[in-house]
Amino acid sequence: MRLSHQEPPANLAQRLADSGLRNTPQREVVYNALLVRRDHPTADEVYTRVRPEMPTISLATVYNCLETLVQCDLVRQVNFERGPSRYCANLLPHAHFHDEKTGATYDIPLPPEVLAHVRSVLPAGYEAKTVEITFHGQAPIA
Amino acid sequence: MRLSHQEPPANLAQRLADSGLRNTPQREVVYNALLVRRDHPTADEVYTRVRPEMPTISLATVYNCLETLVQCDLVRQVNFERGPSRYCANLLPHAHFHDEKTGATYDIPLPPEVLAHVRSVLPAGYEAKTVEITFHGQAPIA
DNA sequence: TCAGCGAATAAGAATCATTCCAATCAGCAA
DNA sequence: TTGCTGATTGGAATGATTCTTATTCGCTGA
Ligand SMILES: [Mn+2]
Ligand SMILES: [Mn+2]
Ligand SMILES: [Zn+2]
Ligand SMILES: [Zn+2]
């Protein structure tokens, strides 16, 4: 697998250990599913993708693993519309582009200065830990 | 009531007519609930607020009315986390600040040039109809 | 004014994503 | 080995929303 994303090599086992959590085959297989196909799948889609490799895993466990990965800051939970949560393993600062025709979601890299400009709209006293930016519209046909 | 928001006077009856929809007491009372208290209530909260004035309205109708108002572009449906949708009658360009401690959501005005800067991150071919920006963190105590 | 018609509402059932629960299970330590 | 604790399972429960169906309403044309 060639990583087209330039990211720090976030090691699952390490991050789990740091959080005082155990590494398990289920957590590995769920995390890997998010790494190999970065199309922001739902929990149920992850479940479907992971079952061929681990047929005994339960949907509840997929939910548990995803929650754990989010807690460890290895995965972002994405909610920009009604409907199931989606999960994203891209740790670089990025916005989401939601294609209203196809339903697909794309990552749009966010330069630091844009992020800074956005944060500058906050009045004094507002302390933002995170900023989420989502576009809705039509993505290129290609 | 003094409108602290400087907005075009979006007339409900007019907008409904424009969309070929009928004005009804239910739609008026639901829309009014969003105008008088702009704290991004859920459908259920709107239901609770509206019942004293119209005890026979049903929750299903509240959902229907909210959907209609969203369709008419009089109301924004806001989803930035799991959980019930919230509704916002502020038509001016603004971001949302979600206070993680209190759960409250505040409107943050968005200057056009910031919006333009954000849109500039889109690669060629991406046509964004709307941009949503949400901050998560801690709002001032006051 | 009134009948007819489609739109809108009301009440409750159904759906769907998620969470909860209770019973195993697994890895490590005594 | 045995215990302990965290993790996994399968199924039940929950909560928000949507759907269905009957009823009511509002407008238009006679
Ligand atoms: Mn969409
Ligand atoms: Mn929150
Ligand atoms: Zn992403
Ligand atoms: Zn708002």
Side-chain angles (χ1 to χ4, degrees), chain A residues 110-122 131, chain B residues 114 117 135:
Chain A
L110 271 183
E113 92 264 9
V114 172
L115 219 38
H117 197 196
V118 169
R119 283 177 176 276
S120 76
V121 306
L122 285 175
V131 189
Chain B
V114 171
H117 196 195
F135 299 94

Side-chain angles (χ1 to χ4, degrees), chain A residues 3 5-11 15 31 35 38 74 89-93:
Chain A
L3 280 186
H5 301 257
Q6 177 191 341
E7 293 177 31
N11 187 269
R15 289 293 189 93
Y31 184 47
L35 287 178
R38 290 157 177 258
L74 285 170
N90 181 358
L91 295 180
L92 296 175

Side-chain angles (χ1 to χ4, degrees), chain B residues 33-91:
Chain B
L34 295 179
L35 287 178
V36 297
R37 200 166 147 210
R38 292 158 176 256
D39 58 351
H40 307 86
T42 64
D44 205 68
E45 286 165 347
V46 171
Y47 180 50
T48 299
R49 294 177 191 185
V50 133
R51 248 135 71 88
E53 184 173 348
M54 184 180 282
T56 58
I57 197 172
S58 72
L59 178 57
T61 296
V62 171
Y63 272 102
N64 289 337
C65 292
L66 289 170
E67 187 188 341
T68 298
L69 294 170
V70 169
Q71 235 89 77
C72 294
D73 290 313
L74 285 171
V75 167
R76 267 172 69 177
Q77 182 172 8
V78 179
N79 287 290
F80 47 72
E81 58 178 359
R82 272 256 92 226
S85 289
R86 300 184 164 275
Y87 296 87
C88 171
N90 181 357
L91 296 179

Side-chain angles (χ1 to χ4, degrees), chain A residues 12 15-16 19 21-34 42-43 46-47 50 54 56-77 87-89:
Chain A
L12 172 60
R15 289 293 189 93
L16 288 170
S19 301
L21 300 168
R22 296 177 183 168
N23 194 2
T24 68
Q26 288 86 349
R27 284 167 179 176
E28 283 189 354
V29 85
V30 165
Y31 184 47
N32 211 253
L34 295 179
T42 64
V46 170
Y47 180 50
V50 132
M54 184 181 281
T56 59
I57 197 173
S58 72
L59 178 57
T61 296
V62 170
Y63 273 102
N64 290 337
C65 291
L66 289 171
E67 188 188 341
T68 298
L69 294 169
V70 169
Q71 235 91 75
C72 293
D73 290 314
L74 285 170
V75 166
R76 267 174 68 179
Q77 182 171 6
Y87 296 88
C88 172

Side-chain angles (χ1 to χ4, degrees), chain B:
Chain B
M1 178 188 68
R2 197 174 63 83
L3 281 184
S4 59
H5 301 258
Q6 176 191 342
E7 294 179 28
N11 188 269
L12 173 59
Q14 190 55 60
R15 288 295 189 92
L16 288 170
D18 291 351
S19 300
L21 300 167
R22 296 177 183 168
N23 194 2
T24 68
Q26 287 86 349
R27 284 167 179 175
E28 282 189 355
V29 85
V30 165
Y31 183 48
N32 211 252
L34 295 179
L35 287 178
V36 297
R37 200 166 147 210
R38 292 158 176 256
D39 58 351
H40 307 86
T42 64
D44 205 68
E45 286 165 347
V46 171
Y47 180 50
T48 299
R49 294 177 191 185
V50 133
R51 248 135 71 88
E53 184 173 348
M54 184 180 282
T56 58
I57 197 172
S58 72
L59 178 57
T61 296
V62 171
Y63 272 102
N64 289 337
C65 292
L66 289 170
E67 187 188 341
T68 298
L69 294 170
V70 169
Q71 235 89 77
C72 294
D73 290 313
L74 285 171
V75 167
R76 267 172 69 177
Q77 182 172 8
V78 179
N79 287 290
F80 47 72
E81 58 178 359
R82 272 256 92 226
S85 289
R86 300 184 164 275
Y87 296 87
C88 171
N90 181 357
L91 296 179
L92 296 175
H94 67 281
H96 287 116
F97 189 101
H98 183 239
D99 188 308
E100 296 181 325
K101 291 259 173 54
T102 67
T105 299
Y106 303 98
D107 286 350
I108 309 286
L110 272 182
E113 90 264 12
V114 171
L115 219 40
H117 196 195
V118 168
R119 283 176 175 277
S120 76
V121 306
L122 286 174
Y126 286 84
E127 297 297 333
K129 270 215 317 264
T130 63
V131 189
E132 274 176 84
I133 300 178
T134 308
F135 299 94
H136 296 258
Q138 183 151 15
I141 318 96

